[in-house]
Amino acid sequence: METEEHVKLDRLDADVARPTSIDPTPSRSEGGFVTHQPTIDSGAAQSDMVVRPLRHPWRLASAVLVVILFVLLAVSLATNHNMNWGTVGDYLFSGTVMSGIVVTLYLTVLSMVVGIVGAVVVALMRLSENRVLSSVANLFLAFFRGTPVLVQLIFWGYLGFLYSRLTLGVPFTDMHLFSVDTNKVMTPIVAATLALGLNEAAYSSEIIRGGILSISRGQTDAAYSLGLTPRTTMFRIILPQAMRVIIPPMGNEVITMLKLTSLVTIIGGGDLMTNIQHVYAENFQVIPLLTVAAIWYIVLVTVLSVPQAWLERRYGRGHGDRTVARRGTLRLDRLRPRARGAMEVAR
Amino acid sequence: MTADARREVVVRAVNVHKAFGHAEVLRGVDVEIRRGEVCCLLGPSGSGKTTFLRCINHLEKINRGSLMVKDEYIGYRRRGQHLMELPQRKIARQRRGIGMVFQHFNLFPHMTVLENLMEGPVRVAGVPKLAARTRSLALLERVGLAEKAKSYPNELSGGQQQRVAIARALAMEPHLMLFDEPTSALDPELVGEVLDVMRGLARDGMTMIVVTHEMGFAREVGDTLVFMDGGRIVEAGHPREVLSNPRETRTQAFLSKVL
């Protein structure tokens, strides 16, 4: 296939080259148009005409302008003494920043796990024919989407004010399996995981529900007709296909979560942002330290986009037509405009 | 019915009623289909043929009457004069013996052709993967698509997809096959290859119920032709007879439009 196409393309190139070498009549004008003597208007001459795409001079002008503005901004930042690049360098790989990054990543992963597991449960509850289950799921959604995550975070952090002890036992009796002091259990990490995770569950459940709804009824029919149970159908047929729709917005959620973890500074979570704040509270180098934080958040977000691309490929299997089309376009783009024009004429 | 009366009855529908909300789609369907019979269901759109077909493997619940496949109520268990709906797991078990082919193929797009065929045997019937693989490849050979085993459904033409869908249903070794307008979504030049596979199945003695608009197929392969209209069976008989000599005026009116 490949070689055949190349052969064809070479032939096209040869066709384009022919008018200048063999046919003596056309002469080239400055614009690159092939002009013909008015007397010669045979069918053969018409078929040799070369098509030129429209020129876009303003594209070049606007590009130059934007590059100049960007360079000016970069120079101004680089030469500003208040920026204190030395301090940025000093703290970029410091121990306190590194330990903050570990906590930030750890918190992101933990909250996302709670969030995604919760989201699948809430989504399936909302889709359930059981009215009570779907109503409870709606209430969960209303509460966790309706209140700011900052409020939820502080709420979990101060749960001890509401319940001083957490007990697992038989209701209305003194029998219990265990009982603990709330403040001992509710460390900043636990509170943050609960707040961020449950909030995430509410938002992601809608993404997952949308993904499930995007799969046609026919898929369920086909699975049922083979004798698959509803549960197997959901986990083998529906969810794997829904993943293709779920992953792109979920990638967004992971990135948002990574940055949302900075909120735990409010309950002393020990994450990247908390540690940065501790440092600039002491040395007043606010801007350089915020720059350190910004650099690391950008790096982490960029790194997190890699598994997303991999997952999209993994779950895009069987939907290859789009990538095939893209490959086709690329190949067309690689052709020199002359050859492309010739192809259009040939048609 | 024209099929051999000594053969056992595979599908027995008695007074089947079905309504979607207030819309009555089936208003008392009675039909008997025997082993090895090819029954073609014909009728204008909205006549209830597809709904009736979907009731046979309980993709739709019936509201009244009874539907038995091989002396088993599908989706229900009898208790006195009541039919009690079965739990999903038991219904799934009953569906194993009933293959179904859909108008829009409904192949699983995230699986290769081979995986599509293996899904039922491996997940439902508990066939070991290697055995399922061998059998699936043999089935693909039978529908003439052995070389497409590793392809994904979207890389196949409509006709090829429908042949894979037939092979997928056959992989469960059903005793009854339901076809819901299997060629309606196909380009005209691809209809033949699908009908050829179905013809082969009929020759091998498969019991088939086919909702179709392919009069040629019905005439040539069908043992019975059932004409439905308004949720009832209007006329049934040997295809050649019904098609060339319809008794009911509604059948005549329909045939004059489509033939």
Short mmCIF file of all heavy atoms in Angstrom, two decimals, chain A residues 129 216-230 232 236-238 240-241 315 317-322, chain B residues 54 57 59 88-89 92-93 95-96 98-100 102 106-111 116 119-120 123-124 152 154 168-169 172:
data_model
loop_
_atom_site.label_atom_id
_atom_site.label_comp_id
_atom_site.label_asym_id
_atom_site.label_seq_id
_atom_site.Cartn_x
_atom_site.Cartn_y
_atom_site.Cartn_z
N GLU A 129 -32.88 2.39 39.08
CA GLU A 129 -34.34 2.53 39.03
C GLU A 129 -34.92 2.66 40.43
O GLU A 129 -36.09 2.96 40.60
CB GLU A 129 -34.95 1.34 38.30
CG GLU A 129 -34.84 1.47 36.79
CD GLU A 129 -35.33 0.22 36.08
OE1 GLU A 129 -36.32 -0.37 36.52
OE2 GLU A 129 -34.70 -0.16 35.07
N SER A 216 -24.83 3.61 23.33
CA SER A 216 -26.18 3.38 22.80
C SER A 216 -26.82 2.15 23.45
O SER A 216 -26.15 1.22 23.88
CB SER A 216 -26.15 3.20 21.29
OG SER A 216 -25.81 1.87 20.97
N ARG A 217 -28.15 2.17 23.47
CA ARG A 217 -28.94 1.10 24.04
C ARG A 217 -28.62 -0.24 23.36
O ARG A 217 -28.67 -1.31 23.96
CB ARG A 217 -30.42 1.47 23.88
CG ARG A 217 -31.44 0.46 24.33
CD ARG A 217 -31.45 0.34 25.83
NE ARG A 217 -31.59 -1.05 26.25
CZ ARG A 217 -32.76 -1.64 26.49
NH1 ARG A 217 -33.86 -0.95 26.40
NH2 ARG A 217 -32.82 -2.90 26.84
N GLY A 218 -28.27 -0.17 22.09
CA GLY A 218 -28.00 -1.37 21.32
C GLY A 218 -26.88 -2.21 21.92
O GLY A 218 -26.89 -3.43 21.80
N GLN A 219 -25.91 -1.56 22.55
CA GLN A 219 -24.81 -2.28 23.17
C GLN A 219 -25.32 -3.16 24.31
O GLN A 219 -24.90 -4.30 24.47
CB GLN A 219 -23.75 -1.31 23.70
CG GLN A 219 -23.00 -0.59 22.59
CD GLN A 219 -22.10 -1.54 21.81
OE1 GLN A 219 -21.34 -2.29 22.39
NE2 GLN A 219 -22.22 -1.52 20.50
N THR A 220 -26.24 -2.60 25.11
CA THR A 220 -26.83 -3.37 26.20
C THR A 220 -27.65 -4.52 25.63
O THR A 220 -27.55 -5.66 26.09
CB THR A 220 -27.74 -2.47 27.05
OG1 THR A 220 -27.03 -1.27 27.34
CG2 THR A 220 -28.13 -3.14 28.34
N ASP A 221 -28.46 -4.23 24.60
CA ASP A 221 -29.27 -5.27 23.96
C ASP A 221 -28.39 -6.42 23.51
O ASP A 221 -28.69 -7.58 23.77
CB ASP A 221 -30.00 -4.70 22.73
CG ASP A 221 -31.18 -3.83 23.14
OD1 ASP A 221 -31.54 -3.84 24.33
OD2 ASP A 221 -31.72 -3.13 22.26
N ALA A 222 -27.29 -6.07 22.80
CA ALA A 222 -26.42 -7.11 22.27
C ALA A 222 -25.81 -7.94 23.39
O ALA A 222 -25.75 -9.17 23.32
CB ALA A 222 -25.32 -6.48 21.41
N ALA A 223 -25.38 -7.26 24.46
CA ALA A 223 -24.76 -7.98 25.58
C ALA A 223 -25.78 -8.89 26.25
O ALA A 223 -25.49 -10.06 26.53
CB ALA A 223 -24.19 -6.99 26.58
N TYR A 224 -26.99 -8.36 26.48
CA TYR A 224 -28.04 -9.18 27.11
C TYR A 224 -28.37 -10.39 26.24
O TYR A 224 -28.58 -11.48 26.74
CB TYR A 224 -29.30 -8.34 27.33
CG TYR A 224 -29.25 -7.42 28.53
CD1 TYR A 224 -28.07 -7.26 29.26
CD2 TYR A 224 -30.37 -6.70 28.92
CE1 TYR A 224 -28.02 -6.41 30.35
CE2 TYR A 224 -30.33 -5.85 30.02
CZ TYR A 224 -29.15 -5.70 30.73
OH TYR A 224 -29.11 -4.86 31.80
N SER A 225 -28.42 -10.17 24.92
CA SER A 225 -28.84 -11.27 24.04
C SER A 225 -27.81 -12.39 24.04
O SER A 225 -28.13 -13.52 23.70
CB SER A 225 -29.08 -10.75 22.61
OG SER A 225 -27.86 -10.56 21.95
N LEU A 226 -26.56 -12.07 24.43
CA LEU A 226 -25.55 -13.13 24.53
C LEU A 226 -25.66 -13.86 25.87
O LEU A 226 -24.98 -14.85 26.09
CB LEU A 226 -24.15 -12.54 24.42
CG LEU A 226 -23.70 -12.09 23.03
CD1 LEU A 226 -22.34 -11.43 23.11
CD2 LEU A 226 -23.65 -13.28 22.08
N GLY A 227 -26.47 -13.32 26.77
CA GLY A 227 -26.62 -13.94 28.08
C GLY A 227 -25.77 -13.28 29.15
O GLY A 227 -25.61 -13.83 30.24
N LEU A 228 -25.21 -12.11 28.87
CA LEU A 228 -24.45 -11.40 29.89
C LEU A 228 -25.41 -10.81 30.93
O LEU A 228 -26.50 -10.36 30.59
CB LEU A 228 -23.63 -10.25 29.26
CG LEU A 228 -22.17 -10.58 28.89
CD1 LEU A 228 -22.12 -11.63 27.80
CD2 LEU A 228 -21.45 -9.33 28.43
N THR A 229 -25.00 -10.83 32.19
CA THR A 229 -25.84 -10.25 33.24
C THR A 229 -25.68 -8.72 33.22
O THR A 229 -24.71 -8.22 32.65
CB THR A 229 -25.41 -10.77 34.62
OG1 THR A 229 -24.02 -10.43 34.80
CG2 THR A 229 -25.57 -12.27 34.74
N PRO A 230 -26.60 -7.98 33.83
CA PRO A 230 -26.47 -6.52 33.85
C PRO A 230 -25.12 -6.06 34.41
O PRO A 230 -24.51 -5.13 33.89
CB PRO A 230 -27.62 -6.09 34.75
CG PRO A 230 -28.65 -7.15 34.58
CD PRO A 230 -27.88 -8.43 34.40
N THR A 232 -22.14 -7.70 34.47
CA THR A 232 -21.07 -7.96 33.51
C THR A 232 -21.17 -6.99 32.34
O THR A 232 -20.16 -6.49 31.84
CB THR A 232 -21.16 -9.40 32.96
OG1 THR A 232 -21.47 -10.27 34.04
CG2 THR A 232 -19.86 -9.83 32.33
N ARG A 236 -18.00 -4.87 31.53
CA ARG A 236 -17.24 -5.36 30.37
C ARG A 236 -17.55 -4.58 29.09
O ARG A 236 -16.72 -4.44 28.22
CB ARG A 236 -17.57 -6.85 30.11
CG ARG A 236 -17.07 -7.78 31.17
CD ARG A 236 -15.62 -8.13 30.98
NE ARG A 236 -15.30 -8.54 29.63
CZ ARG A 236 -14.06 -8.64 29.16
NH1 ARG A 236 -13.04 -8.36 29.95
NH2 ARG A 236 -13.84 -9.02 27.92
N ILE A 237 -18.80 -4.12 28.97
CA ILE A 237 -19.23 -3.52 27.70
C ILE A 237 -19.42 -2.01 27.81
O ILE A 237 -18.88 -1.25 27.02
CB ILE A 237 -20.55 -4.18 27.22
CG1 ILE A 237 -20.42 -5.70 27.20
CG2 ILE A 237 -20.96 -3.64 25.86
CD1 ILE A 237 -19.38 -6.26 26.25
N ILE A 238 -20.18 -1.56 28.81
CA ILE A 238 -20.55 -0.14 28.86
C ILE A 238 -19.40 0.73 29.37
O ILE A 238 -18.95 1.65 28.69
CB ILE A 238 -21.81 0.08 29.73
CG1 ILE A 238 -22.94 -0.86 29.29
CG2 ILE A 238 -22.26 1.53 29.66
CD1 ILE A 238 -23.45 -0.63 27.90
N PRO A 240 -16.08 0.27 29.77
CA PRO A 240 -14.88 0.41 28.93
C PRO A 240 -15.09 1.36 27.75
O PRO A 240 -14.18 2.07 27.35
CB PRO A 240 -14.61 -1.01 28.45
CG PRO A 240 -15.27 -1.89 29.44
CD PRO A 240 -16.46 -1.14 29.93
N GLN A 241 -16.31 1.37 27.19
CA GLN A 241 -16.57 2.28 26.08
C GLN A 241 -16.77 3.70 26.59
O GLN A 241 -16.36 4.67 25.94
CB GLN A 241 -17.82 1.84 25.32
CG GLN A 241 -17.64 0.55 24.57
CD GLN A 241 -18.87 0.22 23.74
OE1 GLN A 241 -19.26 0.98 22.88
NE2 GLN A 241 -19.47 -0.91 24.03
N TYR A 315 -7.99 3.46 25.52
CA TYR A 315 -9.43 3.29 25.44
C TYR A 315 -10.01 3.78 24.12
O TYR A 315 -11.19 3.69 23.87
CB TYR A 315 -10.12 4.00 26.62
CG TYR A 315 -9.97 3.22 27.89
CD1 TYR A 315 -9.01 3.57 28.83
CD2 TYR A 315 -10.74 2.10 28.13
CE1 TYR A 315 -8.84 2.84 29.99
CE2 TYR A 315 -10.58 1.35 29.28
CZ TYR A 315 -9.63 1.73 30.20
OH TYR A 315 -9.47 0.99 31.33
N ARG A 317 -9.15 2.40 21.41
CA ARG A 317 -9.05 1.27 20.49
C ARG A 317 -10.40 0.97 19.87
O ARG A 317 -11.42 1.00 20.54
CB ARG A 317 -8.56 0.03 21.24
CG ARG A 317 -7.09 0.07 21.53
CD ARG A 317 -6.63 -1.25 22.09
NE ARG A 317 -7.53 -1.70 23.17
CZ ARG A 317 -7.23 -2.69 23.98
NH1 ARG A 317 -6.11 -3.32 23.86
NH2 ARG A 317 -8.08 -3.05 24.93
N GLY A 318 -10.38 0.70 18.57
CA GLY A 318 -11.63 0.43 17.88
C GLY A 318 -12.29 1.69 17.40
O GLY A 318 -13.33 1.66 16.79
N HIS A 319 -11.68 2.84 17.71
CA HIS A 319 -12.17 4.11 17.18
C HIS A 319 -11.06 4.75 16.36
O HIS A 319 -10.84 5.93 16.42
CB HIS A 319 -12.63 5.04 18.30
CG HIS A 319 -13.82 4.51 19.02
ND1 HIS A 319 -15.09 4.79 18.63
CD2 HIS A 319 -13.92 3.67 20.07
CE1 HIS A 319 -15.93 4.15 19.42
NE2 HIS A 319 -15.25 3.47 20.31
N GLY A 320 -10.35 3.90 15.66
CA GLY A 320 -9.13 4.33 14.98
C GLY A 320 -9.37 5.23 13.80
O GLY A 320 -8.44 5.86 13.32
N ASP A 321 -10.62 5.33 13.32
CA ASP A 321 -10.84 6.07 12.07
C ASP A 321 -10.33 7.50 12.16
O ASP A 321 -9.85 8.05 11.19
CB ASP A 321 -12.30 6.04 11.66
CG ASP A 321 -13.26 6.26 12.79
OD1 ASP A 321 -12.78 6.52 13.92
OD2 ASP A 321 -14.45 6.19 12.57
N ARG A 322 -10.41 8.09 13.37
CA ARG A 322 -9.98 9.48 13.49
C ARG A 322 -8.47 9.61 13.32
O ARG A 322 -7.99 10.50 12.66
CB ARG A 322 -10.40 10.06 14.84
CG ARG A 322 -11.43 11.16 14.65
CD ARG A 322 -11.57 11.97 15.89
NE ARG A 322 -11.90 11.10 17.02
CZ ARG A 322 -11.97 11.54 18.25
NH1 ARG A 322 -11.72 12.79 18.53
NH2 ARG A 322 -12.26 10.73 19.24
N ARG B 54 -38.32 -8.85 20.06
CA ARG B 54 -37.58 -8.53 21.29
C ARG B 54 -38.22 -9.15 22.52
O ARG B 54 -37.54 -9.37 23.53
CB ARG B 54 -37.47 -7.01 21.45
CG ARG B 54 -36.54 -6.37 20.41
CD ARG B 54 -36.67 -4.86 20.42
NE ARG B 54 -36.29 -4.29 21.71
CZ ARG B 54 -35.05 -3.97 22.04
NH1 ARG B 54 -34.07 -4.15 21.19
NH2 ARG B 54 -34.78 -3.47 23.22
N ASN B 57 -36.81 -12.90 23.49
CA ASN B 57 -35.69 -13.13 24.44
C ASN B 57 -35.75 -12.13 25.60
O ASN B 57 -34.74 -11.84 26.23
CB ASN B 57 -34.34 -13.13 23.74
CG ASN B 57 -33.97 -11.79 23.16
OD1 ASN B 57 -34.78 -10.87 23.18
ND2 ASN B 57 -32.76 -11.68 22.66
N LEU B 59 -36.05 -8.97 25.85
CA LEU B 59 -35.49 -7.62 25.83
C LEU B 59 -36.63 -6.64 26.10
O LEU B 59 -36.40 -5.51 26.49
CB LEU B 59 -34.82 -7.33 24.49
CG LEU B 59 -33.46 -7.98 24.27
CD1 LEU B 59 -32.87 -7.57 22.93
CD2 LEU B 59 -32.49 -7.62 25.39
N GLN B 88 -32.71 -11.14 37.07
CA GLN B 88 -31.91 -10.92 35.86
C GLN B 88 -30.94 -12.07 35.56
O GLN B 88 -30.74 -12.42 34.40
CB GLN B 88 -31.10 -9.62 36.00
CG GLN B 88 -31.94 -8.37 35.88
CD GLN B 88 -32.35 -8.10 34.45
OE1 GLN B 88 -31.86 -8.71 33.51
NE2 GLN B 88 -33.30 -7.19 34.28
N ARG B 89 -30.34 -12.62 36.59
CA ARG B 89 -29.35 -13.68 36.36
C ARG B 89 -29.97 -14.89 35.68
O ARG B 89 -29.38 -15.52 34.80
CB ARG B 89 -28.71 -14.11 37.67
CG ARG B 89 -27.62 -13.15 38.15
CD ARG B 89 -27.33 -13.36 39.62
NE ARG B 89 -27.15 -14.78 39.94
CZ ARG B 89 -25.99 -15.41 39.78
NH1 ARG B 89 -24.94 -14.76 39.34
NH2 ARG B 89 -25.88 -16.68 40.09
N ALA B 92 -30.78 -14.08 32.07
CA ALA B 92 -29.54 -14.11 31.29
C ALA B 92 -29.23 -15.56 30.90
O ALA B 92 -28.81 -15.84 29.78
CB ALA B 92 -28.40 -13.50 32.10
N ARG B 93 -29.46 -16.48 31.82
CA ARG B 93 -29.20 -17.89 31.55
C ARG B 93 -30.10 -18.40 30.42
O ARG B 93 -29.66 -19.13 29.53
CB ARG B 93 -29.43 -18.67 32.84
CG ARG B 93 -29.21 -20.15 32.76
CD ARG B 93 -29.25 -20.75 34.14
NE ARG B 93 -28.00 -20.54 34.86
CZ ARG B 93 -26.97 -21.38 34.77
NH1 ARG B 93 -27.04 -22.43 33.99
NH2 ARG B 93 -25.86 -21.15 35.45
N ARG B 95 -31.34 -16.67 28.03
CA ARG B 95 -31.04 -16.04 26.75
C ARG B 95 -29.89 -16.72 26.01
O ARG B 95 -29.69 -16.50 24.83
CB ARG B 95 -30.67 -14.57 26.97
CG ARG B 95 -31.86 -13.68 27.28
CD ARG B 95 -31.41 -12.24 27.33
NE ARG B 95 -32.49 -11.35 27.71
CZ ARG B 95 -32.42 -10.49 28.71
NH1 ARG B 95 -31.31 -10.39 29.44
NH2 ARG B 95 -33.43 -9.70 28.99
N ARG B 96 -29.12 -17.53 26.73
CA ARG B 96 -27.95 -18.16 26.09
C ARG B 96 -28.32 -18.94 24.85
O ARG B 96 -27.56 -18.97 23.89
CB ARG B 96 -27.31 -19.15 27.07
CG ARG B 96 -26.63 -18.51 28.23
CD ARG B 96 -25.99 -19.62 29.01
NE ARG B 96 -25.53 -19.15 30.30
CZ ARG B 96 -24.89 -19.93 31.16
NH1 ARG B 96 -24.66 -21.20 30.85
NH2 ARG B 96 -24.48 -19.46 32.30
N ILE B 98 -30.70 -18.39 22.78
CA ILE B 98 -31.41 -17.62 21.77
C ILE B 98 -30.46 -16.55 21.22
O ILE B 98 -30.10 -15.61 21.92
CB ILE B 98 -32.65 -16.93 22.38
CG1 ILE B 98 -33.51 -17.97 23.12
CG2 ILE B 98 -33.44 -16.22 21.30
CD1 ILE B 98 -34.64 -17.36 23.92
N GLY B 99 -30.04 -16.73 19.98
CA GLY B 99 -29.14 -15.75 19.37
C GLY B 99 -29.95 -14.61 18.78
O GLY B 99 -31.09 -14.80 18.37
N MET B 100 -29.35 -13.40 18.76
CA MET B 100 -30.08 -12.29 18.15
C MET B 100 -29.14 -11.45 17.30
O MET B 100 -28.00 -11.19 17.68
CB MET B 100 -30.74 -11.42 19.22
CG MET B 100 -31.64 -10.35 18.62
SD MET B 100 -32.83 -9.75 19.83
CE MET B 100 -33.91 -8.78 18.80
N PHE B 102 -29.01 -7.76 15.13
CA PHE B 102 -29.72 -6.49 15.15
C PHE B 102 -29.56 -5.73 13.84
O PHE B 102 -28.61 -5.93 13.09
CB PHE B 102 -29.19 -5.62 16.29
CG PHE B 102 -29.33 -6.27 17.64
CD1 PHE B 102 -28.34 -7.12 18.12
CD2 PHE B 102 -30.44 -6.03 18.43
CE1 PHE B 102 -28.46 -7.72 19.36
CE2 PHE B 102 -30.57 -6.63 19.67
CZ PHE B 102 -29.58 -7.48 20.13
N ASN B 106 -24.63 -3.72 16.28
CA ASN B 106 -24.33 -3.65 17.71
C ASN B 106 -23.13 -4.49 18.10
O ASN B 106 -23.12 -5.12 19.15
CB ASN B 106 -25.54 -4.07 18.55
CG ASN B 106 -26.72 -3.14 18.36
OD1 ASN B 106 -26.59 -2.10 17.70
ND2 ASN B 106 -27.84 -3.48 18.91
N LEU B 107 -22.09 -4.50 17.27
CA LEU B 107 -20.85 -5.14 17.68
C LEU B 107 -20.23 -4.29 18.79
O LEU B 107 -20.50 -3.10 18.88
CB LEU B 107 -19.89 -5.26 16.50
CG LEU B 107 -20.34 -6.23 15.40
CD1 LEU B 107 -19.35 -6.20 14.25
CD2 LEU B 107 -20.47 -7.64 15.95
N PHE B 108 -19.38 -4.90 19.62
CA PHE B 108 -18.72 -4.14 20.67
C PHE B 108 -17.50 -3.44 20.06
O PHE B 108 -16.52 -4.11 19.71
CB PHE B 108 -18.30 -5.07 21.81
CG PHE B 108 -19.45 -5.89 22.35
CD1 PHE B 108 -19.32 -7.24 22.58
CD2 PHE B 108 -20.67 -5.28 22.62
CE1 PHE B 108 -20.39 -7.99 23.07
CE2 PHE B 108 -21.74 -6.02 23.11
CZ PHE B 108 -21.59 -7.38 23.34
N PRO B 109 -17.55 -2.12 19.91
CA PRO B 109 -16.51 -1.43 19.12
C PRO B 109 -15.13 -1.45 19.78
O PRO B 109 -14.13 -1.26 19.11
CB PRO B 109 -17.04 0.00 19.01
CG PRO B 109 -17.98 0.15 20.16
CD PRO B 109 -18.58 -1.21 20.39
N HIS B 110 -15.08 -1.69 21.11
CA HIS B 110 -13.79 -1.66 21.80
C HIS B 110 -13.09 -3.01 21.80
O HIS B 110 -12.05 -3.17 22.40
CB HIS B 110 -13.97 -1.16 23.23
CG HIS B 110 -14.90 -2.00 24.05
ND1 HIS B 110 -16.18 -2.30 23.64
CD2 HIS B 110 -14.73 -2.62 25.24
CE1 HIS B 110 -16.76 -3.05 24.57
NE2 HIS B 110 -15.90 -3.26 25.54
N MET B 111 -13.70 -3.97 21.13
CA MET B 111 -13.09 -5.31 21.07
C MET B 111 -12.82 -5.68 19.62
O MET B 111 -13.56 -5.26 18.72
CB MET B 111 -14.05 -6.34 21.66
CG MET B 111 -14.39 -6.12 23.11
SD MET B 111 -15.51 -7.42 23.65
CE MET B 111 -15.75 -6.94 25.35
N ASN B 116 -15.03 -10.07 20.16
CA ASN B 116 -16.49 -10.00 20.11
C ASN B 116 -17.09 -11.40 20.15
O ASN B 116 -18.05 -11.64 20.87
CB ASN B 116 -16.93 -9.30 18.82
CG ASN B 116 -17.22 -7.83 19.02
OD1 ASN B 116 -18.31 -7.47 19.46
ND2 ASN B 116 -16.25 -6.98 18.73
N GLU B 119 -16.47 -13.21 23.69
CA GLU B 119 -17.04 -12.63 24.91
C GLU B 119 -18.13 -13.50 25.53
O GLU B 119 -18.08 -13.80 26.73
CB GLU B 119 -17.59 -11.22 24.60
CG GLU B 119 -18.09 -10.46 25.82
CD GLU B 119 -16.98 -10.06 26.78
OE1 GLU B 119 -15.79 -10.20 26.42
OE2 GLU B 119 -17.31 -9.64 27.90
N GLY B 120 -19.10 -13.92 24.72
CA GLY B 120 -20.19 -14.73 25.24
C GLY B 120 -19.72 -16.06 25.79
O GLY B 120 -19.92 -16.37 26.97
N ARG B 123 -17.31 -15.40 28.96
CA ARG B 123 -17.89 -14.75 30.14
C ARG B 123 -19.16 -15.42 30.62
O ARG B 123 -19.49 -15.35 31.79
CB ARG B 123 -18.22 -13.28 29.83
CG ARG B 123 -17.06 -12.43 29.47
CD ARG B 123 -16.27 -12.04 30.71
NE ARG B 123 -14.89 -11.84 30.28
CZ ARG B 123 -13.89 -11.61 31.11
NH1 ARG B 123 -14.10 -11.57 32.41
NH2 ARG B 123 -12.68 -11.45 30.66
N VAL B 124 -19.92 -16.00 29.69
CA VAL B 124 -21.23 -16.52 30.07
C VAL B 124 -21.21 -18.04 30.21
O VAL B 124 -21.62 -18.58 31.23
CB VAL B 124 -22.29 -16.11 29.02
CG1 VAL B 124 -23.63 -16.72 29.37
CG2 VAL B 124 -22.39 -14.60 28.93
N TYR B 152 -10.83 -4.34 14.15
CA TYR B 152 -11.88 -3.78 14.99
C TYR B 152 -13.12 -3.55 14.12
O TYR B 152 -12.98 -3.31 12.91
CB TYR B 152 -11.42 -2.46 15.63
CG TYR B 152 -10.49 -2.70 16.79
CD1 TYR B 152 -9.12 -2.71 16.63
CD2 TYR B 152 -11.01 -2.94 18.06
CE1 TYR B 152 -8.27 -2.96 17.70
CE2 TYR B 152 -10.18 -3.19 19.14
CZ TYR B 152 -8.81 -3.20 18.96
OH TYR B 152 -8.00 -3.44 20.02
N ASN B 154 -15.02 -1.15 13.43
CA ASN B 154 -15.13 0.04 12.58
C ASN B 154 -14.24 -0.04 11.34
O ASN B 154 -14.29 0.84 10.49
CB ASN B 154 -14.84 1.31 13.38
CG ASN B 154 -13.37 1.46 13.69
OD1 ASN B 154 -12.67 0.47 13.85
ND2 ASN B 154 -12.89 2.69 13.74
N ARG B 168 -21.08 -13.96 16.04
CA ARG B 168 -21.06 -13.75 17.49
C ARG B 168 -22.24 -14.43 18.15
O ARG B 168 -22.10 -15.06 19.20
CB ARG B 168 -21.07 -12.25 17.79
CG ARG B 168 -21.11 -11.95 19.28
CD ARG B 168 -21.06 -10.47 19.56
NE ARG B 168 -22.30 -9.80 19.12
CZ ARG B 168 -22.54 -8.51 19.31
NH1 ARG B 168 -21.63 -7.76 19.91
NH2 ARG B 168 -23.66 -7.97 18.90
N ALA B 169 -23.41 -14.31 17.52
CA ALA B 169 -24.60 -14.97 18.09
C ALA B 169 -24.44 -16.48 18.03
O ALA B 169 -24.79 -17.19 18.97
CB ALA B 169 -25.85 -14.52 17.34
N MET B 172 -22.56 -18.77 20.77
CA MET B 172 -23.21 -19.30 21.98
C MET B 172 -23.95 -20.60 21.68
O MET B 172 -24.66 -21.11 22.55
CB MET B 172 -24.18 -18.27 22.54
CG MET B 172 -23.52 -17.04 23.14
SD MET B 172 -22.41 -17.46 24.49
CE MET B 172 -23.59 -17.95 25.74
#
